Amino acid sequence: MISTKSLALILLLLIPGILYGNNLENSRRAMLTGILNERKIPFEVRPLFTEYGGFGSSIHVFLPASPNGEEKKPGTFILAVPLSFTGDDQRNFPYAFEAALSLIDKILGEPLRTDILVVFLGDEWSALGPNAEDPHLGLADLYSRLEVPEDTAMVYLDMYGEVTELVIHHGARRELAPLNLLRPLGRLCDSRSIPYSLGIGSNELYKLGLADGPSVLEFVLPREIPALYLTGPGSGEKRITALDTLLFEYAASLDIGTENPDYHYLLFQFAGKIFFIPEYTTVILFFAVSALLFLALLIYSVVFRYRLAIQWKVFLKRSWILVLFYLLLILSLKGAALMFQLLTGSAGRMEDFAPPAALFYGTTAVQILFGAALFILISPAGDLIYVPRRANFYGSASVILVSLEILLAVFFDITFIPIFLWAFVFTFLAACIKRPPLIWLCSFLAFFLGLSILLTIVREENRRLGSLILSGNTAIILYIALISLPFFTTIKRGSLLRAGAAKNRNPRRFIPLKVFKYMIPGISFLAFTALILGICTFHFTRYPIRQTTERTINDTAGGTNYLEMEVKDRILLERRTLTITLEAPVPPLLFSLYLEVAAADEIPVIYSAPMPSRYIEDSNSPNRNSIEFILGEGPPNPFTTEIVLPLDFTGFLRAEALCPEPAGEEGQFRIIHRYPIGIEHYPIDLLP
């Protein structure tokens, strides 16, 4: 895709970055600007320092629509490519760059009817990991230039090397990309025989907040920017080629800015194919299936009307038993979570551990089984309450519970319905059948069909739901108990029918032996699950997250000069201009700069600064009543800036440098230097 002349230019632009220590993004930015200049493609470089404190810049290439006599399509298609990638070894020219540059060439040769914006985003990666405040400064800058975010469609291409399969992420926590953005890409992949899959193939998990999307989508989707995140595995023989052609055809096929975008669509996967079912089709199917089920229920009620009348009378009088079982199930699941927390000593802090995926999901499953074992052991206490036709009561209760769950699903979102419809079908069959083995089979099918959507979480190693279960999150416990209760009541129906048949065969039975018979299996199952949970927890706690160690060096009083801080003071009229130069002993990860007043009851005031700032008034913060100048990661070393203060300001400038430990050592060290402003002499006890 790149000519020999372009490659030579890339090498020439790389050499200065290597010799003079420019960081990776600066080198790649120089490559791209050189290639764009060579091809005479207009572009805009957008520095991120003034608005966001970032030391990088983004490159924006705008390609206006050229309808050639046809009607121009509304909206703007955005192809976003970061300057740093997942799995980046910093050695090769990124594949996403090749695809984006080739797409630009295609559009220049064959203009589209839609405006195109290709952006190469700076400051999209953080060396601080979870501690980073906002790792997407380039996206934040892109968002600031969009007048109507809804009238755009964005594809974020995170591909350092060629991929063997296209993995499409289309959701974030409680957010989804619209159907008019996802379906055309799936159809194009099918027509071009490009293998693809969805990061998480269940919209329900996103909408319930049980799964996280990539951090990019967590940023843009809540801001109403329709977006997809494309990545893929690099291992395999057959690589995807002509990605630029796919993106070109995709941009040409999109209808951006649809008046009523569909966020309630359904995904259905069968035989390796992904089917995208729009909301109106889901509603039609729901009413059709509901009509069939209602007809079946009507026929059943006519044929067995006398039996049904008795069952309803019993159910209405004893329905409070279901509330009792629901509370017992909640207590059992909460008890299992408490057991896990006691064994780990983590007090619900799942972020303290990072076990392998198999161990993590295995421990989650065992904890749920332990909760089920607790419920199985204590639920027979409900048998002390007299209920006529007990087996029929539990069968009717199962059907009614699932029906209520369907109504709740309709109330929240139409896409939840298919899961509960399947559960209703098998639960209804279990309520009609009188053979215990078939009842148990239907109950397990209903339960596991509803549980099958969670397999996508396991496949993608998304740990949010597992962390909520292990930590005993109350909302998740209530949800699991609600969807599990029909399963247990159906199992109860089969057990009662089996016990009734055995009683008819053996009418004489010694009661203590009966109690012993029913208690021993429950106690054994509880002991077994407790043992497995203990073993899993023991291995679980052997994978604590290694917190980054950080030592602090106070460079103010000792004169160690670890952090060189030079401040030049210029006074003009009623203003004091400070030119500040910071230089750390090694290239720092981050510089921090604070302005503090000498008097505790005064609020610091600044007139101007080239970077953003914020006032800290949180009483729990160690930087309370100070102004923080917001600086991004990867600053130049030395770093020079200036701020303008009132002439009568008295206080301190506090600079901090967060640096990595020398090679061969783990951790970081923070150097603190405090410089007096407007104070000629200050006592040592004013130092931090």
Side-chain angles (χ1 to χ4, degrees):
M1 293 183 183
I2 298 178
S3 64
T4 306
K5 186 177 179 181
S6 298
L7 286 174
L9 180 61
I10 290 169
L11 292 175
L12 288 174
L13 290 166
L14 268 175
I15 292 172
I18 297 171
L19 292 178
Y20 297 103
N22 291 348
N23 63 30
L24 177 67
E25 288 198 1
N26 286 340
S27 299
R28 287 180 174 170
R29 192 177 300 109
M31 292 185 214
L32 291 169
T33 54
I35 293 171
L36 293 172
N37 280 323
E38 180 203 12
R39 300 181 183 180
K40 299 180 180 180
I41 299 173
F43 62 92
E44 176 189 5
V45 177
R46 294 175 63 91
L48 303 174
F49 186 73
T50 302
E51 295 294 331
Y52 306 99
F55 294 97
S57 301
S58 295
I59 300 174
H60 289 205
V61 181
F62 181 69
L63 305 170
S66 180
N68 293 327
E70 300 182 29
E71 183 180 358
K72 178 182 178 295
K73 285 187 175 182
T76 302
F77 174 76
I78 303 172
L79 177 64
V81 180
L83 291 175
S84 299
F85 296 84
T86 303
D88 198 333
D89 61 11
Q90 307 182 11
R91 293 182 298 180
N92 301 317
F93 191 76
Y95 177 62
F97 287 4
E98 296 186 31
L101 293 171
S102 297
L103 175 64
I104 293 173
D105 288 339
K106 280 184 176 294
I107 294 172
L108 291 175
E110 186 181 346
L112 296 176
R113 295 164 53 198
T114 305
D115 291 334
I116 306 294
L117 179 62
V118 179
V119 294
F120 300 92
L121 300 174
D123 288 348
E124 285 290 295
W125 180 83
S126 172
L128 300 179
N131 298 323
E133 286 194 15
D134 190 353
H136 296 294
L137 300 184
L139 273 178
D141 175 63
L142 172 62
Y143 174 70
S144 68
R145 71 171 288 175
L146 302 178
E147 295 181 0
V148 184
E150 299 90 338
D151 288 343
T152 61
M154 187 175 83
V155 170
Y156 193 98
L157 204 59
D158 187 3
M159 293 182 187
Y160 176 62
E162 292 184 343
V163 297
T164 56
E165 179 189 26
L166 201 61
V167 179
I168 306 171
H169 294 266
H170 70 289
R173 194 183 309 175
R174 303 190 185 281
E175 301 287 344
L176 280 180
L179 181 62
N180 65 297
L181 193 62
L182 179 61
R183 182 165 57 180
L185 184 58
R187 288 178 173 175
L188 278 174
C189 289
D190 287 333
S191 65
R192 299 179 64 87
S193 300
I194 295 176
Y196 77 100
S197 63
L198 299 178
I200 291 181
S202 173
N203 293 345
E204 297 85 354
L205 297 177
Y206 283 131
K207 291 195 173 184
L208 289 171
L210 302 181
D212 293 323
S215 60
V216 170
L217 297 184
E218 294 289 346
F219 180 90
V220 299
L221 289 180
R223 290 168 172 80
E224 299 183 341
I225 303 177
L228 300 176
Y229 178 90
L230 304 187
T231 185
S235 59
E237 296 181 359
K238 188 176 180 181
R239 304 297 177 98
I240 295 177
T241 58
L243 183 60
D244 55 337
T245 304
L246 176 69
L247 293 172
F248 180 83
E249 295 177 356
Y250 176 61
S253 65
L254 280 178
D255 291 322
I256 303 173
T258 305
E259 287 189 6
N260 296 307
D262 187 355
Y263 292 96
H264 304 282
Y265 55 93
L266 179 67
L267 300 176
F268 180 68
Q269 302 185 42
F270 179 74
K273 296 282 187 179
I274 301 176
F275 300 93
F276 304 94
I277 304 175
E279 181 182 12
Y280 66 86
T281 305
T282 306
V283 173
I284 292 173
L285 289 175
F286 168 68
F287 281 116
V289 174
S290 298
L292 291 175
L293 292 176
F294 181 76
L295 180 62
L297 186 62
L298 186 63
I299 294 173
Y300 179 85
S301 61
V302 170
V303 175
F304 303 100
R305 56 186 179 276
Y306 296 112
R307 181 189 302 176
L308 200 61
I310 296 173
Q311 289 178 5
W312 270 103
K313 184 178 180 180
V314 173
F315 178 80
L316 293 175
K317 286 185 177 181
R318 295 291 188 268
S319 57
W320 60 270
I321 296 177
L322 299 178
V323 178
L324 175 63
F325 280 140
Y326 184 57
L327 294 176
L328 289 177
L329 187 52
I330 292 172
L331 291 175
S332 300
L333 295 173
K334 270 287 188 181
L338 180 62
M339 181 71 171
F340 174 77
Q341 293 168 28
L342 290 175
L343 290 173
T344 59
S346 63
R349 290 179 53 85
M350 292 304 101
E351 61 270 21
D352 292 342
F353 303 98
L359 178 59
F360 178 83
Y361 296 116
T363 305
T364 305
V366 171
Q367 178 182 300
I368 295 176
L369 286 176
F370 181 72
L374 279 175
F375 178 74
I376 291 171
L377 186 65
I378 62 178
S379 60
D383 294 343
L384 299 176
I385 304 169
Y386 173 72
V387 178
R389 298 175 176 268
R390 190 183 297 270
N392 292 334
F393 169 79
Y394 286 117
S396 302
S398 301
V399 175
I400 293 171
L401 285 172
V402 177
S403 301
L404 291 175
E405 290 173 357
I406 292 177
L407 292 177
L408 286 174
V410 173
F411 177 77
F412 285 109
D413 198 296
I414 195 74
T415 57
F416 297 162
I417 291 175
I419 301 172
F420 294 105
L421 276 180
W422 281 113
F424 180 86
V425 170
F426 287 106
T427 303
F428 183 78
L429 289 175
C432 298
I433 297 171
K434 291 190 175 181
R435 293 182 178 273
L438 293 178
I439 292 174
W440 292 333
L441 177 63
C442 288
S443 62
F444 276 102
L445 285 174
F447 182 73
F448 285 111
L449 281 173
L451 202 65
S452 61
I453 62 171
L454 301 181
L455 295 179
T456 57
I457 289 184
V458 177
R459 190 181 73 246
E460 293 300 319
E461 299 188 10
N462 193 308
R463 302 195 177 195
R464 174 169 171 75
L465 177 58
S467 298
L468 292 173
I469 293 173
L470 292 173
S471 61
N473 180 273
T474 302
I476 293 299
I477 294 299
L478 293 174
Y479 176 73
I480 292 176
L482 180 64
I483 63 175
S484 302
L485 188 58
F487 167 74
F488 285 109
T489 53
T490 307
I491 292 292
K492 186 76 173 176
R493 167 178 164 79
S495 301
L496 289 170
L497 289 175
R498 184 174 182 275
K503 183 178 179 180
N504 293 332
R505 290 194 301 268
N506 303 294
R508 296 181 180 181
R509 184 176 295 276
F510 185 55
I511 294 179
L513 184 62
K514 179 180 179 181
V515 174
F516 179 77
K517 176 184 176 182
Y518 281 100
M519 286 188 65
I520 288 298
I523 294 174
S524 301
F525 183 47
L526 180 66
F528 175 74
T529 53
L531 176 64
I532 300 300
L533 181 61
I535 294 172
C536 290
T537 305
F538 171 75
H539 291 285
F540 196 99
T541 54
R542 295 180 65 185
Y543 294 93
I545 293 179
R546 302 180 67 177
Q547 300 293 337
T548 303
T549 58
E550 182 180 307
R551 59 188 177 95
T552 302
I553 302 172
N554 190 339
D555 191 33
T556 305
T560 52
N561 207 29
Y562 276 99
L563 175 60
E564 294 185 10
M565 184 176 183
E566 181 182 354
V567 180
K568 295 180 180 179
D569 192 341
R570 301 195 315 273
I571 296 175
L572 178 64
L573 300 177
E574 297 298 320
R575 295 170 177 257
R576 182 192 298 270
T577 302
L578 303 178
T579 302
I580 307 159
T581 301
L582 303 176
E583 185 172 5
V586 296
L589 300 173
L590 187 70
F591 276 134
S592 300
L593 192 61
Y594 300 89
L595 183 68
E596 305 169 342
V597 290
D601 58 343
E602 294 183 9
I603 297 177
V605 176
I606 61 171
Y607 286 154
S608 66
M611 62 288 213
S613 61
R614 60 188 171 198
Y615 174 65
I616 302 174
E617 58 181 347
D618 184 5
S619 58
N620 297 321
S621 172
N623 302 311
R624 187 180 66 86
N625 197 33
S626 64
I627 291 180
E628 178 187 6
F629 298 95
I630 300 172
L631 299 173
E633 295 181 40
N637 191 36
F639 163 64
T640 301
T641 188
E642 67 176 30
I643 59 175
V644 181
L645 307 175
L647 178 61
D648 58 351
F649 178 84
T650 56
F652 297 89
L653 268 176
R654 190 175 87 251
E656 299 180 2
L658 182 64
C659 305
E661 293 285 4
E665 299 182 22
E666 295 184 357
Q668 302 166 350
F669 63 94
R670 184 182 297 272
I671 313 171
I672 301 175
H673 193 103
R674 211 172 185 209
Y675 189 91
I677 305 295
I679 304 175
E680 295 185 1
H681 303 284
Y682 57 98
I684 197 71
D685 58 0
L686 284 179
L687 299 176

